[in-house]
Amino acid sequence: MAIGASAGAVEALLQILPALPAGYRLPVLVVVHVPRDRGNSLVSLFQTRCRLRVKEAEDKEETCPGTIYFAPSDYHLLVEADGSLSLSSDEPVHHSRPAIDVLFESAADAFGTGLVGIVLTGANQDGASGLKAVVEAGGMGIVQDPATALVPTMPRAALAACPAARQADLDGIISLLLELTAT
């Protein structure tokens, strides 16, 4: 699963990630737009609130089910063909590094039909073309209902680029994620 968020991300993720049960069967890859001049405190914030292992993604790391991987500040997070992670300092995309599109597009190539891409609240277009790539690869696209997003720009852009995506509020997204691994 790949999740992307920007403005309002912490609030949205504080609802979704702690709701995932211990033993969750999917790895969770998360990109939040964190300014490069700030350290990434997301791992420490979520470690005590989640039942899953929470860590900052490392270059060449294998993904494990039941682990939440946050993209490091100022690095793009990508998924290699073998499912391992890689980090890149390539140019920002949509003025962001890490960028959601970079994660989603590489994860779509690696995981295809097994990928769930989720675009949450945010103030730019990042995630829209990436979510389209997820759905075109046969994965599931989920977008936070713009009416419930702190900043609706990113969800609106994602829905415009990918009308086939499912739209839900945060509780609905949690329900979908729990259903995915219930079988």
Side-chain angles (χ1 to χ4, degrees), residues 6-102:
S6 189
V10 171
E11 296 83 353
L13 291 170
L14 279 171
Q15 282 192 255
I16 294 171
L17 297 179
L20 300 176
Y24 195 70
R25 297 186 317 193
L26 299 174
V28 182
L29 310 174
V30 184
V31 165
V32 175
H33 295 156
V34 177
R36 71 173 175 224
D37 59 343
R38 284 196 189 154
N40 192 340
S41 60
L42 294 170
V43 171
S44 59
L45 175 66
F46 284 90
Q47 275 178 330
T48 59
R49 292 173 169 83
C50 294
R51 291 173 270 189
L52 303 179
R53 180 177 177 227
V54 179
K55 67 182 307 292
E56 190 169 85
E58 297 177 41
D59 196 41
K60 307 303 179 212
E61 179 175 13
E62 301 279 331
T63 55
C64 297
T67 302
I68 299 168
Y69 300 90
F70 279 97
S73 178
D74 206 28
Y75 285 93
H76 292 303
L77 175 61
L78 296 95
V79 180
E80 299 294 332
D82 65 0
S84 65
L85 302 177
S86 66
L87 302 177
S88 163
S89 59
D90 286 346
E91 290 300 311
V93 176
H94 297 287
H95 309 286
S96 300
R97 186 176 55 219
I100 299 160
D101 283 335
V102 172

Side-chain angles (χ1 to χ4, degrees), residues 116-120 131 135 140-144 165-168 173 176-177 180:
V116 177
I118 304 168
V119 175
L120 301 174
L131 192 67
V135 171
M140 178 187 293
I142 301 173
V143 177
Q144 181 179 2
R166 296 182 187 202
Q167 180 178 315
I173 291 171
L176 282 168
L177 297 179
L180 287 173

Side-chain angles (χ1 to χ4, degrees), residues 120-143:
L120 301 174
T121 180
N124 68 22
Q125 309 291 315
D126 194 18
S129 67
L131 192 67
K132 185 176 179 182
V134 169
V135 171
E136 287 176 350
M140 178 187 293
I142 301 173
V143 177

